[in-house]
């Protein structure tokens, strides 16, 4: 008897294009100085912090089930990069042709779980990589939209602005970030990169409606269901 093992990657919509199959999600911490400071870190003394979410955490659903065992589910609005090609040790100037599209996303974080694990010196995967922890909006091709310093990135909860910044306040712009990330990992087609969040992260509650917005990209909207 033979058994075929099959799996399907999560798919993200891209405006006017076939859906994008997600292979892996990479994330960066502390890429906006104000957010680094609110987390108690000196932004001038620390290089970018990289971590991963499993592909299965990434989705385009408008309903997110509130995760278990947290009293502090934090929102982190982020510019998300979708890669058409990857590579190892790829310099900043070589990334332009390899970026397929951009989208608005949210890096959902069980902050209380993360704080506990950090204090214990343990890995914090479970605070960042739980199911549905990476909602991403429809993406727009890189040939149609490029990040610019004056583009605003923002997040609203129930219509109230919680986070807002200009993309130009990123410490590591996308090409520099990808250069650094590709020095650590061989990046591949299908990889998505969450590029860090600006200041103003805070807690979400069941029933909240979240709107993540980046100038020129489709809005990401989802609500938190209690079960
Ligand atoms: Mn983040």
């Amino acid at each position: 008897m033979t058994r075929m093992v099959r799996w399907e990657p999560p798919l993200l919509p891209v405006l006017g294009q076939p859906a994008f199959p997600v292979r892996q999600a990479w994330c960066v911490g502390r890429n906006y100085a104000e957010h680094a400071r609110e987390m108690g870190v000196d932004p001038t003394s620390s290089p970018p912090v990289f971590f991963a979410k499993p592909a299965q955490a990434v989705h385009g659903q408008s309903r997110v089930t509130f995760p278990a065992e947290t009293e502090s589910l934090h929102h982190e609005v982020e510019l998300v990069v979708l890669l058409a090609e990857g590579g190892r040790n790829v310099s900043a100037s070589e990334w332009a042709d390899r970026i397929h599209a951009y989208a608005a996303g949210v890096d959902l974080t069980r902050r209380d779980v993360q704080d506990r694990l950090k204090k214990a010196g343990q890995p914090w995967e479970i605070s960042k990589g739980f199911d549905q922890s990476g909602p991403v909006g429809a993406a727009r091709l890189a040939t149609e939209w490029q990040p610019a310093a004056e583009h605003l990135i923002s997040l609203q909860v129930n219509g109230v602005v919680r986070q807002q910044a200009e993309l130009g306040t990123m410490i590591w712009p996308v090409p520099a970030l990808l250069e650094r990330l590709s020095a650590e990992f061989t990046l591949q087609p299908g990889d998505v990169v969450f590029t860090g969040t600006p200041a103003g992260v805070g807690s979400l509650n069941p029933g909240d409606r979240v709107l993540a917005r980046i100038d020129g990209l489709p809005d990401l909207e989802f609500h938190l269901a209690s079960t």
Side-chain angles (χ1 to χ4, degrees):
M1 184 186 135
T2 59
R3 179 166 63 179
M4 291 291 293
V5 178
R6 297 177 189 280
W7 68 284
E8 299 291 336
L11 297 174
L12 293 176
V14 182
L15 292 182
Q17 295 287 317
F20 180 90
V22 178
R23 190 196 76 92
Q24 170 71 50
W26 308 103
C27 305
V28 59
R30 303 172 192 164
N31 198 24
Y32 292 80
E34 284 303 313
H35 172 62
R37 285 188 202 102
E38 78 179 348
M39 298 300 287
V41 177
D42 174 3
T44 61
S45 69
S46 62
V49 174
F50 294 118
F51 60 97
K53 285 180 191 280
Q56 68 182 44
V58 178
H59 65 92
Q61 294 150 10
S62 58
R63 178 187 191 281
V64 173
T65 300
F66 199 88
E69 292 175 17
T70 183
E71 304 294 317
S72 184
L73 177 68
H74 271 202
H75 53 77
E76 297 188 353
V77 64
E78 311 205 358
L79 172 65
V80 179
V81 181
L82 284 63
L83 295 184
E85 290 180 54
R88 184 80 199 252
N89 290 320
V90 178
S91 66
S93 62
E94 297 175 281
W95 278 103
D97 291 347
R98 303 177 193 219
I99 296 172
H100 182 59
Y102 293 93
V106 175
D107 169 15
L108 290 172
T109 304
R110 298 194 298 171
R111 190 73 72 201
D112 45 357
V113 175
Q114 185 189 34
D115 289 345
R116 194 164 67 236
L117 292 167
K118 277 183 180 174
K119 281 197 189 95
Q122 294 175 352
W124 27 275
E125 259 88 350
I126 63 168
S127 72
K128 286 283 196 179
F130 54 89
D131 286 356
Q132 291 194 296
S133 60
V136 175
R140 193 164 170 200
L141 283 182
T143 52
E144 298 173 358
W145 185 90
Q146 291 282 318
E150 67 275 15
H151 284 145
L152 286 179
I153 178 170
S154 68
L155 182 135
Q156 297 177 27
V157 180
N158 304 324
V160 178
V161 177
R162 295 269 194 93
Q163 295 183 267
Q164 183 165 290
E166 292 185 351
L167 290 180
T169 60
M170 274 188 182
I171 298 170
W172 301 87
V174 170
L177 198 61
L178 294 173
E179 176 180 313
R180 295 289 294 245
L181 183 59
S182 75
E184 304 290 345
F185 300 100
T186 303
L187 303 182
Q188 304 273 0
D191 286 3
V192 302
V193 182
F194 286 70
T195 59
T197 196
V201 301
S203 289
L204 295 166
N205 294 304
D208 281 349
R209 304 197 70 85
V210 178
L211 171 63
R213 177 170 279 171
I214 296 173
D215 286 343
L217 294 179
D219 287 348
L220 162 64
E221 286 186 270
F222 62 91
H223 82 275
L224 284 160
S226 49
T227 52

